[in-house]
Amino acid sequence: MTFRPGPGGGERDPGQAARASVVLERCAELGLVSEEPGNLTRRPLTTAAREAERLVASWMRDAGGQVTIDPVGNVTGRWRPSGAAIVPVIVIGSHIDTVRNAGRFDGPLGVLLGIALMETLVTPSSSLFPSQPFGIDVVAFAGEEGARFSLPFLGSRMIVGDLPVELLARLDDEAVSFGQALRDVGIDPESVAGQRPAYAPDEVLLYLEPHIEQGPVLDAAGEAIGVVSAIAGQTRRRVTLTGRANHAGTTPMRLRADALAGAAEAVLAVERVARQTPGLVATVGELKVSPGSANVIPGEVTFSLDIRHAVGTTLQQAVRIIIDAIGSIAGSRGLGVDVDGVMDVAPVACDPRVIDAIHEASRRTFGSELREVVSGAGHDAMVMATIAPVGMFFVRSPGGISHHPDESVIEADVAVALGLLVQTVQVVAERVRSGDWHGMADAGGRE
Ligand code: HGY
Ligand code: MN
Ligand code: MN
């Protein structure tokens, strides 16, 4: 029977337990910074986003970091070994934006664990781990969720230099463009589009993202922590069905082109394809009806599509089947159909060296390796994988609840996660110093 980090994980270091309760206090404090009273909604380039950035920046500074906030709202805290010239960097982070009516741990937990790591490693009397062969950046990304401008991974795309100028035209729910939102906060949009990457090629040794699982696997297994083997790919689309608005009382059923009835049939088709395809999930999360009056036949409906699978070819095939099904439903109802591409991100395999370092840290902390899980949720790690080896570990989500105010964590699990993070950094440091880290890469450690 392999021991796995069960409830509360390994023995708890009093220092880590204290820091874990600070992490939870800070998640609660951040959770009050919202665009809307009564629920947690914090989209990028909003007043709430700016307030959260300032709060996170203050915690990074208090932990001894050199802090910068970039034009879209990414907050980066930098720690360098004393006297170091140019060293590679380990980047640890997650996002601080949220979906609408969110929980308070999706994103912030990873950022605050990164800050707690630095509070653990950096003692006020001495500079950061003077002998470590790398620096550490903690990054709080803006705009991961795509809840504004239909632009997921906005912050991490800025960091890797992947925000082409055409994205400036993307509109939010209030028809404000990304470019206009930048201008509204005094930023020249041209300074953002085509922005150079924040890191030089090969400057980032690895990117590590601690995150809540947001699913049921660890909770069902009674385990505090899991290591992520891969992140499912996802395709997001915006579909518009166009019929004929007309009087609800005088228009016979046979003469109608009802866009909402067509959308309803399409939503059920999306669900049917997903239920029939093992490992596929597909969701219509947004739906807008126009003109939206009770006594008018809907003339136009726009809805979102979010389709995901861990295997790229299966995902692409499912997207084709779903789009074709929507097209034939529209055709049979005399509706026009437009499908706008929002995002396509392929599945990402976490780097074997990072996975192995997390397993080694787990062996040292808990006496056993971790369960490996595939992430159905997307993460900034998918974008950071374009510039560095990436890895993630998950903290148990009680009830598997996320993207909901009832999202939660267990404090003892957060203490265990902090211990694992500290150990993982130490394992990487040992392997870099001994040359094993790069050796593993040369031996094809990276996919
Ligand atoms: O939607 C997701 O996959 C993540 O929460 N951004
Ligand atoms: Mn999320
Ligand atoms: Mn997230």
Side-chain angles (χ1 to χ4, degrees):
M1 162 66 178
T2 309
F3 166 75
R4 289 191 190 283
E11 70 284 351
R12 275 182 282 165
D13 169 324
Q16 276 158 19
R19 287 203 179 91
S21 75
V22 170
V23 166
L24 293 191
E25 284 160 19
R26 289 173 172 172
C27 283
E29 191 175 347
L30 265 182
L32 299 175
V33 180
S34 175
E35 292 175 59
E36 299 163 7
N39 73 63
L40 174 53
T41 300
R42 191 168 60 235
R43 299 172 302 156
L45 293 168
T46 58
T47 307
R50 292 291 185 215
E51 187 185 337
E53 291 150 24
R54 285 192 295 273
L55 197 50
V56 169
S58 68
W59 293 329
M60 289 179 176
R61 277 190 204 96
D62 293 347
Q66 298 297 313
V67 181
T68 55
I69 302 179
D70 77 7
V72 300
N74 294 313
V75 187
T76 300
R78 288 178 179 78
W79 287 263
R80 293 294 179 268
S82 54
I86 303 291
V87 287
V89 177
I90 292 184
V91 178
I92 295 168
S94 195
H95 59 95
I96 52 171
D97 66 302
T98 75
V99 293
R100 290 187 181 282
N101 195 28
R104 57 183 185 272
F105 300 103
D106 170 9
L109 183 72
V111 174
L112 295 169
L113 278 170
I115 296 172
L117 165 77
M118 301 322 296
E119 290 166 340
T120 306
L121 292 180
V122 181
T123 50
S125 57
S126 74
S127 65
L128 172 59
F129 42 93
S131 66
Q132 291 293 4
F134 44 65
I136 294 184
D137 285 0
V138 176
V139 181
F141 292 108
E144 185 269 348
E145 297 287 3
R148 192 177 184 196
F149 313 120
S150 299
L151 187 42
F153 307 125
L154 183 157
S156 43
R157 292 184 67 166
M158 173 80 170
I159 292 288
V160 303
D162 178 27
L163 278 180
V165 64
E166 55 268 22
L167 293 179
L168 293 174
R170 290 270 176 108
L171 298 177
D172 70 7
D173 294 348
E174 293 78 34
V176 174
S177 71
F178 175 32
Q180 186 55 50
L182 287 166
R183 269 189 292 275
D184 291 349
V185 291
I187 303 287
D188 168 15
E190 300 305 318
S191 73
V192 167
Q195 169 87 9
R196 284 163 25 84
Y199 294 100
D202 293 331
E203 180 182 355
V204 180
L205 195 64
L206 67 98
Y207 170 73
L208 182 56
E209 182 164 0
H211 202 286
I212 52 171
E213 180 200 339
Q214 301 182 287
V217 172
L218 295 176
D219 191 35
E223 295 166 8
I225 308 281
V227 62
V228 176
S229 56
I231 307 168
Q234 53 179 285
T235 289
R236 297 197 196 179
R237 294 288 183 269
R238 182 166 300 286
V239 179
T240 301
L241 297 180
T242 309
R244 263 189 324 280
N246 208 331
H247 198 296
T250 58
T251 312
M253 293 309 286
R254 60 186 170 78
L255 298 181
R256 295 185 178 205
D258 182 331
L260 182 53
E265 190 176 348
V267 170
L268 291 177
V270 170
E271 184 189 49
R272 187 183 67 250
V273 172
R275 285 182 186 279
Q276 288 168 351
T277 313
L280 189 82
V281 287
T283 312
V284 174
E286 293 172 2
L287 186 140
K288 290 189 179 63
V289 183
S290 169
S293 298
N295 57 352
V296 179
I297 300 164
E300 183 179 280
V301 169
T302 300
F303 59 87
S304 61
L305 272 182
D306 177 314
I307 309 167
R308 308 188 189 198
H309 198 280
V311 177
T313 48
T314 308
L315 173 60
Q316 288 153 18
Q317 188 185 22
V319 169
R320 273 196 301 277
I321 292 170
I322 287 173
I323 298 298
D324 289 351
I326 293 170
S328 55
I329 289 166
S332 69
R333 289 172 169 269
L335 301 175
V337 54
D338 279 305
V339 180
D340 288 331
V342 173
M343 179 183 75
D344 289 283
V345 59
V348 166
C350 291
D351 189 278
R353 289 171 293 169
V354 187
I355 294 172
D356 189 69
I358 296 170
H359 274 314
E360 171 59 21
S362 175
R363 283 189 287 268
R364 297 183 187 182
T365 311
F366 314 121
S368 80
E369 295 195 353
L370 292 168
R371 175 186 300 271
E372 293 193 6
V373 291
V374 173
S375 175
H379 301 284
D380 288 303
M382 304 177 94
V383 176
M384 291 299 283
T386 61
I387 65 166
V390 301
M392 294 188 71
F393 64 78
F394 279 163
V395 179
R396 168 171 32 195
S397 288
I401 297 168
S402 183
H403 282 188
H404 187 280
D406 292 346
E407 184 180 280
S408 68
V409 291
I410 298 167
E411 182 165 339
D413 291 355
V414 175
V416 164
L418 177 56
L420 183 73
L421 184 58
V422 173
Q423 274 296 341
T424 301
V425 168
Q426 303 302 16
V427 168
V428 173
E430 288 165 19
R431 292 181 175 181
V432 169
R433 273 198 220 97
S434 65
D436 285 351
W437 179 263
H438 296 290
M440 284 169 81
D442 300 341
R446 188 160 176 217
E447 297 195 316

